Amino acid sequence: MSVRRQQKKDLSGCSLRIAPPKIILAAASAMAVATSFLFDLNRLPARAHDVLKRPVSTAGNYLAGRHAQKNWDFRQASRFLGKALEKGPDNTQLLRSTFFARLAAGDISGTLPMARKITKRHSSAPVAKLLLFVDSVKRGDLDSADRLLANFPDLGVSGILKPLLMSWVSLGRLEGADPVQALSPLKNLSELRVLYELHAALLSDVAGRNSDAERHYKLAVKNVRGSTLRIVQGYGHHLERAGKTEQARLLYKSYIKENPDSVVLGPAMARLSRSLRPALLVSTPAEGIAEALFNVSGTIARENSPQLALIYGRLALYLRQDFDLARMLAAGILESMDRNEEAIAEYGGISPKSPFFWSARLRAAGNLEVLDRDDEAIEILRALSLEDKTHPEPLVSLGDLFRSNKRFAESVTAYDRAIAMLPEIDKRHWRVLYSRGISLERSKQWERAELDFKRALELKPDQPYVLNYLGYSWVDQGVNLEQAHKMIERAVKLRPNDGYIVDSLGWVLYRLRDFEGAVEKLERAVELRPNDPTINDHLGDAYWRVGRYNEARFQWQRALTLKPEKDHISAIEGKLLRGLKLPDSGEEDG
């Protein structure tokens, strides 16, 4: 029996992607039925599509828009809510909902008239006011921007943004006052101190106050855990421009050491080798405000407010279209919302001249795989692996993709090439060894697979999925049963609600002839993973051994309905016809 202990997209068995919240429609049942009907239209045959020509009620458009909005489909939400708004232009709540949907969809110019209406109706409308402020800055009207800031809220996210925006407007208006003073509300807040120091450094750089800029950059580095790319970029540019190239080189190398998979600083290192002088990271008030919006967007994204984070990212890009790091952030937020097509479009907006171009294509390939556009993903990954033969990530992704499509021999080849690129194997590489081990096991190269699993456990001794996979493999082969039992028990303690791992524990107990114990564990595994054919098959075997023959046949029959692998079907059918022989007959179960 082959081992099926991996998930398609995530080697750890845990989803890496943020699932959208459950959709809650607080509406009368009749209206809910109407909404359901709207979303079933795409399933109608061609002859029924004339239904689309019929007028849809305002309530139907509203519910459809809210449904789309809660599924993060902001383009559709804008369309449906916009139609509802046409019928009810005085409905302020509908206006706000449509405004947010269009803004999140990136229709900045289309939302400006709406922002003006909202601010007239509500004195407290921070996002609408922010949009009008951003538009004033984009048009170079800093006086209007300053007037808008006067009534800007001082609480929540707006309270964080306001000092940042004021400082950059002050710099642009040449008021004579120190623009860094406007940042003072952030200075004594420990969680915002790094934001204060970064913008104080950027402001000082633009003002030509080099010693102040360097002092603030050093404090920014001190107040952040680990190396932060934007601080490293700003400080590095400052050092290069000051002729302190060796300090810049050490700063970049430190970041690369902490983030060995990153390729973003490659152009900076190349620039140093050619003694070229970079431009300022931020050189105008508009760019500084875009920076502030980007910083706050990243903070909000970490607080799991993706729609608002996306809006702030969109506004940053509205002010600075070449802000590739903000584009990467916006694309990542869209990924977290399962808006993969839109994420791909954002990644596609990264210029080939950008240091993020390589990373953007790598991320786009991952989104293509999610959309089952595997051929396109493979093409990109192969191209990336040829462009840069020092970074193994494209080959690891290629190996993962081949493995998920059961192309195990090709998967092993990709992993082999990736591992050969590594100057040394350290703790973080347990995943690629585990991945290759799976593909080796599935392509019947057990000796190599076992070595990879053992090496992965040396690097990550308590990794439950490696413990389980190796332990289950031994159980399947009937070897090292006692050791496998201990390993799988440890895995269950670490992941007690993982149906696959609980199944492994039940199966090792079965092989150790503890049939009653096996039944208990396998029943629990079926509760956790009711639709897995192998787990149901295992439970059928255990039931048979304890004399529960009818239940055993029921489980085997159920296993057949769950589409087991082809090489298991005849074995299950044989058990339905003949049952199982006695345990001492030498028959292999499973």
Side-chain angles (χ1 to χ4, degrees), residues 58 110 131 253 280 287-288 427 430 488 492 522 529:
T58 300
L131 174 58
K253 284 185 175 179
L280 286 171
E287 290 178 355
K427 290 183 179 180
W430 72 266
I488 295 169
V492 169
L522 291 170
R529 286 277 178 180

Side-chain angles (χ1 to χ4, degrees), residues 66 68 84 106 175 186 197 227 265 319 433 450 535 537 570:
R66 292 294 292 155
E175 296 174 327
L186 306 179
E197 299 295 355
S227 297
L265 291 180
L319 282 177
L433 291 169
E450 187 175 36
I535 298 176
D537 181 34
S570 61

Side-chain angles (χ1 to χ4, degrees), residues 51-321:
V51 173
L52 289 170
K53 299 176 183 178
R54 299 176 186 172
V56 180
S57 69
T58 300
N61 278 316
Y62 173 75
L63 285 173
R66 292 294 292 155
H67 179 91
Q69 197 167 30
K70 287 185 178 294
N71 276 290
W72 314 121
D73 188 349
F74 299 115
R75 292 177 185 173
Q76 286 285 64
S78 299
R79 186 165 71 89
F80 285 117
L81 291 173
K83 288 182 178 180
L85 186 61
E86 290 174 6
K87 301 294 185 182
D90 296 328
N91 187 321
T92 301
Q93 183 58 46
L94 182 55
L95 175 64
R96 289 166 65 92
S97 295
T98 309
F99 168 76
F100 276 98
R102 284 188 181 170
L103 201 52
D107 182 11
I108 306 297
S109 58
T111 54
L112 283 167
M114 303 174 76
R116 295 187 186 99
K117 290 180 182 178
I118 291 170
T119 54
K120 285 181 180 178
R121 297 180 190 181
H122 277 280
S123 58
S124 177
V127 177
K129 287 183 178 179
L130 177 61
L131 174 58
L132 296 177
F133 168 86
V134 167
D135 183 63
S136 295
V137 172
K138 187 174 178 65
R139 291 185 285 104
D141 187 354
L142 294 184
D143 290 336
S144 292
D146 188 57
R147 287 193 295 272
L148 284 164
L149 278 179
N151 296 315
F152 212 65
D154 293 311
L155 300 175
V157 176
S158 299
I160 298 171
L161 257 180
K162 188 174 181 178
L164 297 168
L165 305 182
M166 289 179 68
S167 67
W168 286 102
V169 169
S170 175
L171 178 76
R173 296 181 74 209
L174 302 174
E175 296 174 327
D178 181 1
V180 175
Q181 287 296 321
L183 295 174
S184 56
L186 306 179
K187 186 174 182 179
N188 297 320
L189 299 173
S190 58
E191 66 274 18
L192 299 176
R193 182 63 185 269
V194 66
L195 199 57
Y196 167 83
E197 299 295 355
L198 173 60
H199 279 266
L202 294 171
L203 287 160
S204 299
D205 248 344
V206 176
R209 292 155 43 185
N210 294 336
S211 60
D212 287 346
E214 184 158 1
R215 175 170 57 85
H216 286 300
Y217 278 126
K218 286 180 178 178
L219 288 169
V221 171
K222 182 180 177 181
N223 280 277
V224 71
R225 293 180 182 177
S227 297
T228 299
L229 177 60
R230 208 57 180 162
I231 295 173
V232 169
Q233 286 180 316
Y235 192 15
H237 280 221
H238 172 85
L239 291 170
E240 287 185 66
R241 289 172 60 81
K244 300 177 180 181
T245 54
E246 284 310 307
Q247 289 185 44
R249 195 185 311 276
L250 287 173
L251 179 70
Y252 295 150
K253 284 185 175 179
S254 175
Y255 179 85
I256 292 169
K257 185 177 180 180
E258 287 186 30
N259 304 273
D261 296 335
S262 176
V263 300
V264 175
L265 291 180
M269 296 296 285
R271 185 174 61 235
L272 280 173
S273 67
R274 296 196 300 271
S275 300
L276 298 176
R277 192 167 183 255
L280 286 171
L281 190 68
V282 170
S283 57
T284 67
E287 290 178 355
I289 290 166
E291 190 76 29
L293 291 165
F294 161 74
N295 297 145
V296 173
S297 174
T299 300
I300 297 172
R302 288 191 293 274
E303 296 298 322
N304 200 24
S305 299
Q307 180 177 345
L308 193 58
L310 181 61
I311 287 171
Y312 278 77
R314 299 281 200 205
L315 293 175
L317 287 167
Y318 182 65
L319 282 177
R320 189 174 185 179
Q321 291 185 353

Side-chain angles (χ1 to χ4, degrees), residues 21-33:
K22 293 181 179 179
I23 299 166
I24 303 173
L25 293 178
S29 58
M31 298 178 78
V33 170

Side-chain angles (χ1 to χ4, degrees), residues 496-497 499 502 519-529:
N497 294 318
V502 175
V519 166
E520 179 188 349
K521 300 301 181 185
L522 291 170
E523 285 180 335
R524 170 66 175 153
V526 166
E527 288 178 5
L528 293 168
R529 286 277 178 180

Side-chain angles (χ1 to χ4, degrees), residues 4 6 27 164 213 223 236 317 338 360 370 392 399 532 551 568 576:
R4 315 142 350 310
Q6 81 283 3
L164 297 168
N223 280 277
L317 287 167
D338 291 332
V370 171
D532 185 88
E551 291 165 282
H568 297 165
L576 279 167

